[in-house]
Amino acid sequence: MRLVLLGPPGAGKGTQAKRLSTKYGICHLSSGEMLRAAAAAGTPVGLKAKSLIDNGEFVPDEMIVSIIAERIDHPDCAAGFILDGFPRTVPQAEALERLLAERRLSLDVVVALVVNESILLERIEKRIADMTARGEPLRADDNPDVLYDRLATYRKQTAPLIDHYARKGILRTVDGMDSVENVSAAIDEILAGVRSRSQVGDKARTRRKGPRKPAKRAKKRARPRAARRGRGAVKARKAAPRRRPSTGRKSKAGQRKSGSRRRLTKRR
Ligand code: AMP
């Protein structure tokens, strides 16, 4: 199963993605976590991403798309994956579609967690205050100002993905303000339907032994010449002389014709 979890920062995507990864045995691909890991490891990509992440700005599309493409090819993603934090823009969604198509894969579903932004801000501010009180380390982008900007960016750049996926017919929405248990139950119900559909597809693919092949184009059947002529075709057919019902006997002309054809074949 391959799915995308959509929702603004703090909507609970991470919690749900981790749970679903365990439940379905599919990998959880968090773009933010992958970028933070690259930054911590001090890789060239990570160092480039670090200041952008700390300021809550997006990293360039090609950077995140190539990280995701490479990760999807790992064997642990063979059974499927949950994308969390990617795609974040329509061009990223289009890049994802291309890279999946190159692998003859597609998304099964996109689950959007719908939230009330002002309640969300309050929740996140409370979580930051609680973590600070407990002396727990905070992420550099875990501060109300950065968060406010990230929500604005979500609205402008990521929310259009809801329409994008709705048009494709694979969007499902869940009330992200509900309790974790209810959000989990709602997502599970959606995925139960999707899973049975995707299993039918997987079984068909296994029977064919190998990945899905592009559908063969049906051969174009030659249209009768009269039909190719367009509207006049009907008239032309009407005007044609009616054949007499066959008596079983061949006409002289017919005999001559077939006789000459036989001679030609013999000479060749
Ligand atoms: P997240 O943990 O998903 O909130 O992501 C943390 C930060 O990583 C974001 O604020 C961005 O700076 C960067 N980031 C994560 N995913 C993407 C993405 N798909 N496109 C661009 N930047 C991203």
Side-chain angles (χ1 to χ4, degrees):
M1 184 161 42
R2 289 170 286 274
L3 66 130
V4 169
L5 278 182
L6 266 186
K13 298 189 298 296
T15 309
Q16 289 300 329
K18 279 188 193 99
R19 184 184 70 81
L20 294 171
S21 161
T22 314
K23 180 167 174 161
Y24 293 102
I26 53 182
C27 61
H28 170 200
L29 305 182
S30 157
S31 52
E33 269 173 29
M34 288 190 253
L35 289 166
R36 281 188 290 276
T43 65
V45 166
L47 294 177
K48 214 169 146 192
K50 191 173 182 327
S51 62
L52 294 167
I53 297 172
D54 289 351
N55 292 318
E57 287 167 37
F58 283 179
V59 304
D61 284 353
E62 20 347 314
M63 180 189 283
I64 191 65
V65 170
S66 67
I67 291 177
I68 296 285
E70 197 233 320
R71 194 61 190 81
I72 281 176
D73 291 335
H74 277 224
D76 66 336
C77 288
F81 50 77
I82 307 154
L83 289 169
D84 156 20
F86 177 89
R88 254 172 155 98
T89 61
V90 173
Q92 285 185 12
E94 289 165 349
L96 173 65
E97 276 145 35
R98 281 194 297 276
L99 74 87
L100 289 179
E102 282 161 13
R103 290 157 178 77
R104 292 181 182 148
L105 300 172
S106 59
L107 287 177
D108 293 306
V109 68
V110 174
V111 178
L113 298 174
V114 181
V115 298
N116 174 317
E117 273 194 25
S118 43
I119 300 179
L120 187 70
L121 258 177
E122 278 171 28
R123 264 196 203 173
I124 299 172
E125 282 173 4
K126 186 174 177 307
R127 178 172 61 87
I128 293 174
D130 289 348
M131 284 174 77
T132 314
R134 288 196 296 267
E136 288 174 22
L138 286 175
R139 274 168 34 186
D141 57 350
D142 253 349
N143 77 64
D145 286 342
V146 172
L147 201 71
Y148 197 80
D149 289 347
R150 289 175 69 201
L151 279 176
T153 309
Y154 174 83
R155 229 179 291 127
K156 201 168 151 210
Q157 309 230 50
T158 312
L161 285 178
I162 293 183
D163 274 351
H164 177 86
Y165 286 122
R167 276 196 298 272
K168 293 191 175 291
I170 54 170
L171 181 85
R172 301 287 180 277
T173 54
V174 167
D175 178 5
M177 302 315 289
D178 215 334
S179 64
V180 175
E181 293 73 34
N182 288 350
V183 172
S184 305
I187 296 180
D188 286 348
E189 200 180 315
I190 291 170
L191 298 191
V194 170
R195 198 168 152 80
S196 52
R197 277 205 309 274
S198 76
Q199 272 175 342
V200 172
D202 286 347
K203 271 191 193 151
R205 227 168 293 147
T206 319
R207 245 182 273 129
R208 282 198 302 268
K209 289 202 178 90
R212 193 197 304 239
K213 286 182 186 159
K216 268 191 188 168
R217 278 241 208 116
K219 268 192 186 168
K220 263 195 187 172
R221 278 175 50 201
R223 293 163 68 209
R225 195 185 292 173
R228 266 182 265 147
R229 263 189 246 131
R231 263 201 266 158
V234 178
K235 272 187 196 160
R237 203 183 304 148
K238 271 186 190 161
R242 286 184 65 192
R243 268 206 204 157
R244 276 218 240 122
S246 165
T247 56
R249 279 183 301 170
K250 281 183 184 173
S251 71
K252 275 188 181 175
Q255 280 170 355
R256 234 178 287 133
K257 250 190 184 173
S258 56
S260 56
R261 212 180 286 145
R262 221 178 290 135
R263 271 200 301 280
L264 276 174
T265 328
K266 271 186 185 169
R267 262 182 227 144
R268 256 190 253 142

